[in-house]
Amino acid sequence: GTRDAALVRVVGATVVSSGAVSGEFRFTLDDGSGPVEAAVRTDRNFDLRLLDPGTRVDITGVLAPSGSRWRLRPRTPSDISLGFPVLTVIEARGQPAGRTVIVVGRVLNSRDAFGDTTVHISDATGAMRGTRVRPGTLLAGDLARFVGTTSRRDGQPVLDDVQPFVLEVGSLPPPIRLTSVAASTANNGTLDAAQVQIRQVVVSDTVTVGNALQVTASDGSGPVVVLIRKDTGIPLTTIRPNAIVDFTGLLVPDPATPGRWRVRVRTATDILVTSS
């Protein structure tokens, strides 16, 4: 009780729970020492998206009695800041492993699209994969905030152990048009994790590898491998040698062949067979 009405600051606290109550937004914080409840008025333009459970924040406010405890009351939006740096995709890709950062961008695939909890995210600077993305409703086209730890997988930067927060529902950006040979190298590595489209490629070979159909195709510039999961319900009967197809998908490194990428198809709308 010695700090009643004082202006205080709590650093590196995690939002445990949050919700609107009687005209204000209340949220519980814990920095590891124990919980404290905080509250902001909903008419003061606070960005409530910062206060989703799992987000780490630094917070300043005045202490006001609440029953037998005290409640922390931030005064203005500038009293609340994210406890991790907010980076663009290209900045996050350049970080050393082990840094916890926040990336905001457009989600390129749903969490269950590939069956491995991997989600691609993009912004105006590029794209990267989020690996071990935690459960939640996350759909292609959503604008989301990813809180995760920088790491590497298959030779490429990723954001690992990701906690996603959907900011708004939206639509997918248009894919980047590439030749088949450019897709096979991710344009010399510059388009890792990007959403791309290869058009009028001729299928030369198909083979089942595990739960996926592995398709080799070329537009004449050179071959690229396309992966299609069999349990997605995508019709595969027309994907056969000599078929001409447009593929849209996400570029992922080939773990067995350094310097090579594959196109990972998400849904049936990623495939257009123009001649079978």
Side-chain angles (χ1 to χ4, degrees):
T2 61
R3 295 292 184 183
D4 174 53
L7 180 66
V8 301
R9 181 168 177 79
V10 176
V11 176
T14 300
V15 179
V16 177
S17 62
S18 60
V21 181
S22 302
E24 61 183 16
F25 191 84
R26 296 179 186 173
F27 51 103
T28 300
L29 300 163
D30 195 335
D31 63 1
S33 66
V36 62
E37 188 176 69
V40 297
R41 287 175 53 179
T42 55
D43 62 351
R44 291 293 179 87
N45 297 318
F46 286 91
D47 186 354
L48 303 181
R49 297 174 300 182
L50 299 181
L51 305 176
D52 293 316
T55 303
R56 184 173 172 178
V57 297
D58 298 340
I59 186 167
T60 301
V62 294
L63 289 171
S66 175
S68 61
R69 310 290 289 179
W70 271 258
R71 183 177 291 152
L72 185 60
R73 302 195 69 93
R75 303 156 299 174
T76 66
S78 62
D79 279 341
I80 303 175
S81 60
L82 293 171
F84 301 120
V86 181
L87 304 180
T88 64
V89 165
I90 194 66
E91 289 171 336
R93 290 182 65 94
Q95 294 295 307
R99 296 278 179 86
T100 300
V101 301
I102 296 170
V103 176
V104 176
R106 195 66 63 181
V107 174
L108 299 180
N109 64 282
S110 64
R111 182 177 177 274
D112 60 355
F114 304 129
D116 61 1
T117 70
T118 295
V119 175
H120 294 230
I121 190 169
S122 72
D123 65 8
T125 68
M128 72 186 303
R129 288 176 292 161
T131 55
R132 296 196 300 154
V133 176
R134 299 177 189 178
T137 302
L138 199 63
L139 302 177
D142 288 346
L143 182 68
R145 181 171 68 247
F146 278 21
V147 183
T149 303
T150 54
S151 185
R152 296 186 72 83
R153 181 173 292 188
D154 299 327
Q156 293 298 314
V158 298
L159 204 58
D160 190 44
D161 191 20
V162 171
Q163 176 66 63
F165 301 99
V166 176
L167 304 179
E168 66 181 38
V169 176
S171 57
L172 283 168
I176 300 168
R177 288 273 302 275
L178 292 179
T179 63
S180 55
V181 72
S184 72
T185 66
N187 198 36
N188 294 319
T190 62
L191 293 177
D192 171 59
Q195 178 187 225
V196 301
Q197 184 180 68
I198 51 175
R199 301 188 65 179
Q200 297 294 285
V201 293
V202 180
V203 176
S204 60
D205 182 60
T206 64
V207 60
T208 297
V209 179
N211 191 38
L213 183 69
Q214 181 174 291
V215 180
T216 303
S218 174
D219 59 8
S221 64
V224 64
V225 172
V226 179
L227 298 176
I228 309 171
R229 280 182 63 199
K230 289 189 171 183
D231 58 2
T232 57
I234 296 174
L236 300 178
T237 56
T238 57
I239 310 299
R240 54 178 178 253
N242 299 317
I244 301 174
V245 189
D246 295 346
F247 288 109
T248 302
L250 306 178
L251 287 175
V252 295
D254 183 345
T257 311
R260 291 290 173 180
W261 274 257
R262 301 179 289 185
V263 178
R264 215 172 185 187
V265 171
R266 298 160 294 189
T267 67
T269 58
D270 283 339
I271 299 175
L272 175 63
V273 179
T274 60
S275 174
S276 57

